[in-house]
Amino acid sequence: MNHEVFKDLVPNYLERLTSDETRRLMEAHMESCPECREYMEDMKEEGMENQVEQRTAERKQIDYLKTVRSKNKKKIFVVIASMLGLFIFLAVANYILFDSMWIADQGNVDTIIQKEQSTVTMTFKSKKSDRYLLAVEQVMNHPYTDQIFIYESWDLIPSPPWLPYDRFKDGVSVTYTFADKDTLVLNDGRKIKLTGDDKVTVQYDGRTEEIRLKDLYDGKKE
């Protein structure tokens, strides 16, 4: 076997791709040829270096992927924690501002009646600085009855001016429009003739206050 053929077969020899007969011929040639034996050793060392470099590169790639994965996990954890914190905050705020309401005690509420031309406004304002009120209406048309439930709740969180319930600090209002003393104008524009039975009822805790609409037209409760 000449040198050139030997050198051409070395890569296959190192990868164990040669036949058994070719392998024996090459090993026999190396025993009698120091040059080819040295060439084989050099090729082995070069192959080892390439393997080491490849393994190092693979290890760096794995380490990089682990670092990226770890950072992504931290980002996901931060996002989840932030969303959970926001959810808890909104749940607590919703409970304080809306769910923790109760029917107001009449003794804690000031009622102010104001008349401007044909419009009469009833304003309910809490006497306590740490409370706010909410008025819920339930209207029945025959006879006309506007049942108003006055709720109160703790005002523990300062209200940003852009939130709609900020106005509750100055009281909540219910407005009525009259065509005349005997005629009420509804929100949809319809007019109804008033009788002595048509009234507004204000529901407090354990007590109901009734106001005739004809009296309300005069700007008074009774």
Side-chain angles (χ1 to χ4, degrees), residues 74-130:
K74 289 180 180 179
K75 289 181 180 179
I76 293 173
F77 176 78
V78 170
V79 171
I80 293 175
S82 299
M83 293 179 64
L84 181 61
L86 178 61
F87 173 79
I88 294 173
F89 171 79
L90 291 177
V92 172
N94 181 74
Y95 176 78
I96 293 175
L97 297 173
F98 297 104
D99 293 341
S100 60
M101 289 186 171
W102 60 90
I103 294 290
D105 187 328
Q106 187 179 20
N108 295 337
V109 180
D110 279 330
T111 304
I112 303 168
I113 299 177
Q114 295 175 309
K115 181 177 180 182
E116 184 175 348
Q117 297 181 352
S118 60
T119 300
V120 177
T121 301
M122 295 181 63
T123 300
F124 304 93
K125 187 173 182 180
S126 177
K127 295 180 180 179
K128 297 182 177 294
S129 60
D130 60 348

Side-chain angles (χ1 to χ4, degrees), residues 26-57:
M26 292 181 67
E27 290 173 352
H29 178 77
M30 283 189 291
E31 289 179 1
S32 61
C33 180
E35 179 184 346
C36 288
R37 186 166 57 249
E38 184 178 353
Y39 180 81
M40 177 69 77
E41 294 299 326
D42 291 341
M43 290 294 290
K44 285 183 179 180
E45 291 180 2
E46 184 177 345
M48 290 296 293
E49 290 177 357
N50 290 337
Q51 288 182 10
V52 170
E53 290 177 359
Q54 183 177 357
R55 289 176 183 175
T56 302

